Amino acid sequence: MLKTHVIELRLAGAQTDYFSKASGTSRFVYNHLVRWNRERFEAGIKYSRKELQRECVRLRQATPWMLDVS
């Protein structure tokens, strides 16, 4: 038997905007890193956590709007 919990968020005003920005930023970063990793895999480059972290830093510097959310 599976048990689940449903949690409803009731956001007000600025919380709604922040949540939308945070969700969008998270989605953007995830999709970018999936694409980046796929390109490296197809080129035969081995996975490196250090390179992944460098790409995250580079992406954050290239897109200043990401600094709006934590």
Side-chain angles (χ1 to χ4, degrees):
M1 179 169 153
L2 296 174
K3 294 183 179 182
T4 61
H5 297 280
V6 177
I7 300 171
E8 179 182 351
L9 295 176
R10 294 182 183 167
L11 305 174
Q15 291 176 333
T16 304
D17 294 337
Y18 183 82
F19 188 77
S20 295
K21 285 180 184 179
S23 298
T25 301
S26 177
R27 185 173 45 251
F28 172 79
V29 171
Y30 176 82
N31 288 333
H32 174 80
L33 293 177
V34 166
R35 182 174 48 249
W36 177 81
N37 202 25
R38 186 180 303 137
E39 289 169 358
R40 290 175 55 85
F41 177 77
E42 291 171 354
I45 301 171
K46 202 170 184 182
Y47 177 82
S48 167
R49 184 174 180 168
K50 197 171 208 175
E51 288 296 322
L52 180 67
Q53 290 173 339
R54 286 184 185 147
E55 181 63 17
C56 287
V57 170
R58 190 201 63 75
L59 180 62
R60 192 169 184 132
Q61 291 171 348
T63 52
W65 52 266
M66 285 178 55
L67 299 175
D68 292 344
V69 296
S70 59

